[in-house]
Amino acid sequence: MTTRMPSHAGRTEAARQVTRQPSLLEVSGLVVDLPGPSGGPEIVRVVDGVSFDVPAATTVGLIGESGSGKTMTANALIGLLPDGAETGGELRWRGADLLTATPARRRALRGHEIAMIFQDPLAALNPTQTIARQVGEILRRSGRPRDEVRRRVIELLDRAGVPDPATRADSYPHEFSGGLRQRAVIAMALAGSPALLLADEPTTALDVTVQSRILRLLRSLQDDDGLAMVLVSHDLRVVAHVAQQTVVMYAGRVAERGPTNEVLHRPAHPYTRALVQSVPAVRTRTAIASPLPGTPATPANRPSGCAFHPRCPLARERCKVEQPLIREIAAGQWTACHYAEELQGVRHDPA
Amino acid sequence: MIRLIVKRLLIGVLVMWGAASVIFLIVRVAPGDPASIMLGPDADSEQIADLTARLGLDKPMYVQYLSYLGDVVRLDFGDSYRLGTAAMPTVLERLSATAELMLASTAIAVIVGLTLGLLAGARPGSITDRVVSAISIALQSFPTFWVGIMLILIFAQALRILPSAGAGSPLHLILPAVTLALPFTAVVARLTRTNVAETMREAYIQTARSKGLSERQVLLGHALRNSLIPVVTVVGLHMGGLMGGAVVVENVFAWPGTGSLIVDAVSNRDYGLVQAATFLIAGIVMVFNLVTDLVYSQLDPRIRLDGAS
Ligand SMILES: Nc1ncnc2c1ncn2[C@@H]1O[C@H](COP(=O)(O)OP(=O)(O)OP(=O)(O)O)[C@@H](O)[C@H]1O
Ligand code: SF4
Ligand SMILES: [Mg+2]
């Protein structure tokens, strides 16, 4: 029936990419199983065979509707999944597999190599500790002297765009506006000098003007400081603005991925195309938004075959029974659709 | 901070005035004529009239009230007619034994309760958690006097390792303090458990983990203090309530504190003593509440800010 072989797909990709640029992080065939709701016996595969690479100093955008598994993927990358979660596949950090690494080894990477900023910037800060204390914690715990930590905290806040950092450092989170809190959270994530920053919806909770400033900050972290990023967002415009690579997720799987330009301007997957068409500014400035028809599939009740088939205008019988394998449809552009060539037009790839 | 203290003290004065007035009313409203009860069934009407006049009970109510308030301000509650000593100093003399008992109990409850609650709350649903919860529920459901008697039977009668009654040595303190502490320990443990478990689900705990902290560092560095905030309030409020438990425990263990004094005074209608003791207890509870508020505001910066504005 179904011919799902994520790990096989992952390996062939990894082999290809060795010949391209070296990656900081290689995700191949990543699987996350969560215990079902109310601790029931059934397990939900919330991330199902996700593969992508994060090259150094590159931003990878992770987009998809609510519940598509973006947060779970990001949490799996840093190793902070809910209790009872099981992971599978491979997660290679500078070549070494993280999923089989000891907990101590994974912890040592956290903050120092891979840092994460969480969705809600107020909830992400401890309400009873000053900003300075929280930003400097990772430095203090690695044994730096007090005044050096202090100096570095002020530098970090300054880098993250907190005005008057020397005084504001001693504020508590509730004394900061939403935008400032997000800057503080970014400063906190930068404190351990990580090579990769995972940012889960870093601008969603903020108002529009603040959003664009935070995005500019994230961009400059990549451009000027060489930080690699995985940027989770359900907002295509955010991803289009910041990410060089885009991964489109649907119901816990990758629908399509590749260079942002290709994926957003020449989508080969019907889902990506629908996403793009639902956002006017991405395609042309004048197009009218067409909301995505149908309701999103969730990992808990994922349709058979291609999970997108109930909503797909191109779906036929085969899509209901056979899960499409992800394949390279154009240079660097990978699509999981049986009929990707139809959208891609004349292009053909002997994949 | 200063403003907060001043504000709370002013409120405290009002509360004490209210407490004094209630005490005044209750004593007047209680059935029976104080003078005839004090003098006993053999007294003649002349003696009763004489004592009534000496106590000022023949004056109009508002005059009695004003002169009573004047006395209260000077902490003068008259004499204990039975002991023949000034009421307030007599109560105060017994207070140190009660304070000793309450402090020992609170220390036990806080240390043991916090530790158990922290262990249970760090891993909800674990064996530790379930054992702690079961013990807490059991401890809270046994009446204090029964627990006291059980402890006497076990440690004083059967094992003969601890004295069952009286005071005078640290050993004497153990059984009454433990008896008084047990239900309190259960309250602290359960509350700490709930708060720690809840705090560990907060997003900032995940942030702390993302900095590479170990579970222990997360627990002690981020979860502990924040889960303690509500616990402090309950401990503070409960210490007032501990006075009630102390009355029972002091009687079970013949502990020479205010609690056993009050029981004597009430059963003998020793109004001077009753008034002095109730007023003092109201004062102590008020001070506990004040201290609770201050500690709370120190722990939670959001409160600190609100209090100052
Ligand atoms: N703690 C949990 N236990 C079990 N299932 C969960 C848990 N958290 C999320 N899920 C399920 O996992 C799936 C993926 O969730 P995830 O949070 O990764 O989605 P997302 O793409 O980040 O969505 P959003 O845009 O709403 O943040 C969802 O179907 C969700 O219901
Ligand atoms: S595989 Fe079929 S259902 Fe899935 S996206 Fe392609 S055409 Fe649509
Ligand atoms: Mg999410």
Side-chain angles (χ1 to χ4, degrees):
Chain A
M1 272 214 9
T2 52
T3 52
R4 181 163 50 76
M5 292 185 295
S7 57
H8 167 74
R11 248 195 314 277
T12 46
E13 276 162 56
R16 256 172 231 271
Q17 269 148 7
V18 168
T19 55
R20 298 220 298 265
Q21 60 201 127
S23 283
L24 266 187
L25 181 69
E26 293 159 42
V27 184
S28 48
L30 178 69
V31 164
V32 176
D33 287 336
L34 289 183
S38 69
E42 73 269 40
I43 286 168
V44 182
R45 179 154 292 191
V46 292
V47 176
D48 187 10
V50 165
S51 303
F52 61 90
D53 279 15
V54 186
T58 303
T59 298
V60 175
L62 218 55
I63 68 166
E65 287 164 300
S66 187
S68 57
K70 307 181 295 291
T71 295
M72 286 300 146
T73 302
N75 288 354
L77 300 188
I78 197 168
L80 293 174
L81 287 166
D83 281 346
E86 298 280 347
T87 46
E90 274 184 2
L91 212 55
R92 299 200 161 272
W93 176 255
R94 300 190 196 276
D97 189 26
L98 290 182
L99 293 183
T100 53
T102 62
R105 163 84 186 130
R106 291 219 73 179
R107 206 168 64 227
L109 292 181
R110 259 176 234 145
H112 298 277
E113 290 266 48
I114 306 176
M116 179 146 184
I117 60 183
F118 294 91
Q119 186 160 348
D120 179 351
L122 179 58
L125 290 163
N126 186 332
T128 64
Q129 295 186 1
T130 62
I131 298 294
R133 191 182 155 90
Q134 299 184 59
V135 172
E137 177 167 26
I138 195 166
L139 300 167
R140 223 174 37 245
R141 289 198 189 264
S142 52
R144 308 270 199 94
R146 277 176 81 98
D147 48 342
E148 192 194 318
V149 171
R150 175 81 191 175
R151 212 174 331 115
R152 184 81 185 114
V153 164
I154 292 170
E155 269 172 33
L156 286 162
L157 288 173
D158 190 44
R159 177 70 188 90
V162 173
D164 192 11
T167 2
R168 304 306 285 271
D170 298 310
S171 310
Y172 285 91
H174 69 271
E175 297 168 297
F176 269 23
S177 67
L180 278 186
R181 281 176 207 150
Q182 190 59 290
R183 290 180 189 279
V185 168
I186 292 171
M188 184 159 64
L190 297 179
S193 314
L196 172 66
L197 180 64
L198 311 175
D200 191 356
E201 310 267 8
T203 58
T204 306
L206 307 173
D207 64 56
V208 184
T209 49
V210 184
Q211 274 190 15
S212 62
R213 282 194 222 121
I214 295 287
L215 285 181
R216 227 172 296 147
L217 168 64
L218 291 177
R219 257 205 99 116
S220 88
L221 289 176
Q222 183 210 305
D223 295 346
D224 308 341
D225 303 4
L227 196 63
M229 243 182 293
V230 172
L231 179 77
V232 172
S233 180
H234 61 259
D235 189 341
L236 217 57
R237 284 164 300 191
V238 168
V239 170
H241 187 66
V242 184
Q244 289 85 47
Q245 297 278 321
T246 294
V247 178
V248 181
M249 289 189 69
Y250 190 78
R253 296 174 182 158
V254 174
E256 183 162 28
R257 66 184 167 80
T260 303
N261 246 333
E262 301 303 313
V263 170
L264 297 189
H265 290 104
R266 261 177 291 179
H269 196 287
Y271 176 63
T272 316
R273 189 180 60 167
L275 265 187
V276 171
Q277 281 174 345
S278 73
V279 184
V282 171
R283 210 177 165 85
T284 69
R285 293 200 177 277
T286 53
I288 294 164
S290 62
L292 225 49
T295 46
T298 64
N301 42 29
R302 187 183 288 121
S304 62
C306 173
F308 188 56
H309 83 253
R311 297 169 82 189
C312 181
L314 299 185
R316 23 214 116 146
E317 265 328 293
R318 182 185 176 198
C319 305
K320 291 181 189 160
V321 289
E322 190 186 336
Q323 184 192 341
L325 284 183
I326 194 158
R327 58 211 168 90
E328 194 166 13
I329 203 81
Q333 184 173 0
W334 292 68
T335 306
C337 170
H338 295 309
Y339 305 107
E341 286 78 4
E342 296 183 13
L343 278 188
Q344 198 61 6
V346 291
R347 273 202 222 180
H348 282 284
D349 236 34
Chain B
M1 192 67 187
I2 302 289
R3 281 180 59 165
L4 181 67
I5 297 177
V6 170
K7 197 167 120 194
R8 291 299 145 91
L9 278 177
L10 285 178
I11 294 174
V13 169
L14 282 179
V15 169
M16 292 312 292
W17 173 55
S21 307
V22 170
I23 295 167
F24 175 85
L25 271 179
I26 287 176
V27 170
R28 310 298 125 159
V29 168
D33 170 36
S36 46
I37 291 172
M38 284 182 190
L39 291 170
D42 301 335
D44 59 33
S45 58
E46 197 177 316
Q47 283 174 305
I48 291 175
D50 185 44
L51 183 60
T52 305
R54 266 203 288 134
L55 291 174
L57 295 176
D58 53 346
K59 305 241 178 60
M61 202 57 114
Y62 76 93
V63 177
Q64 288 186 36
Y65 181 62
L66 289 180
S67 82
Y68 166 79
L69 284 186
D71 289 345
V72 166
V73 169
R74 282 176 278 119
L75 294 181
D76 176 4
F77 288 87
D79 293 345
S80 156
Y81 83 90
R82 244 165 41 90
L83 304 173
T85 52
M88 197 46 124
T90 308
V91 175
L92 283 174
E93 204 179 290
R94 295 279 209 107
L95 187 66
S96 68
T98 301
E100 208 177 295
L101 184 60
M102 284 174 58
L103 284 180
S105 304
T106 306
I108 294 172
V110 168
I111 294 169
V112 178
L114 275 186
T115 311
L116 290 180
L118 201 58
L119 290 175
R123 312 200 55 207
S126 63
I127 304 280
T128 321
D129 180 29
R130 275 178 274 169
V131 170
V132 169
S133 296
I135 294 179
S136 309
I137 291 171
L139 287 183
Q140 268 183 294
S141 47
F142 295 134
T144 303
F145 74 89
W146 184 84
V147 171
I149 290 167
M150 284 299 135
L151 291 181
I152 290 177
L153 288 178
I154 298 169
F155 292 98
Q157 306 282 339
L159 300 176
R160 296 182 179 281
I161 50 174
L162 289 172
S164 68
S169 78
L171 281 187
H172 283 90
L173 182 59
I174 294 177
L175 285 187
V178 167
T179 307
L180 191 54
L182 285 181
F184 194 11
T185 309
V187 171
V188 174
R190 291 183 62 174
L191 193 71
T192 308
R193 182 232 170 253
T194 312
N195 285 312
V196 169
E198 208 167 282
T199 308
M200 289 299 279
R201 284 197 297 270
E202 296 280 355
Y204 61 80
I205 294 297
Q206 200 74 336
T207 306
R209 291 192 180 115
S210 78
K211 295 179 190 173
L213 270 55
S214 67
E215 277 307 284
R216 207 183 117 99
Q217 290 171 324
V218 170
L219 196 65
L220 299 180
H222 288 270
L224 182 60
R225 173 179 168 145
N226 299 8
S227 9
L228 282 192
I229 293 170
V231 177
V232 166
T233 320
V234 168
V235 168
L237 297 179
H238 217 86
M239 278 186 77
L242 218 53
M243 289 294 302
V247 173
V248 175
V249 169
E250 287 182 8
N251 279 284
V252 171
F253 291 95
W255 184 260
T258 332
S260 43
L261 182 70
I262 289 177
V263 172
D264 282 352
V266 169
S267 49
N268 291 306
R269 293 268 178 142
D270 194 338
Y271 290 111
L273 275 187
V274 172
Q275 290 185 14
T278 21
F279 187 77
L280 189 68
I281 289 173
I284 290 171
V285 171
M286 193 209 84
V287 170
F288 281 145
N289 292 352
L290 176 67
V291 172
T292 306
D293 274 355
L294 296 181
V295 174
Y296 194 103
S297 73
Q298 276 310 101
L299 281 175
D300 192 337
R302 288 163 298 186
I303 306 287
R304 205 182 307 164
L305 195 83
D306 296 346
S309 60

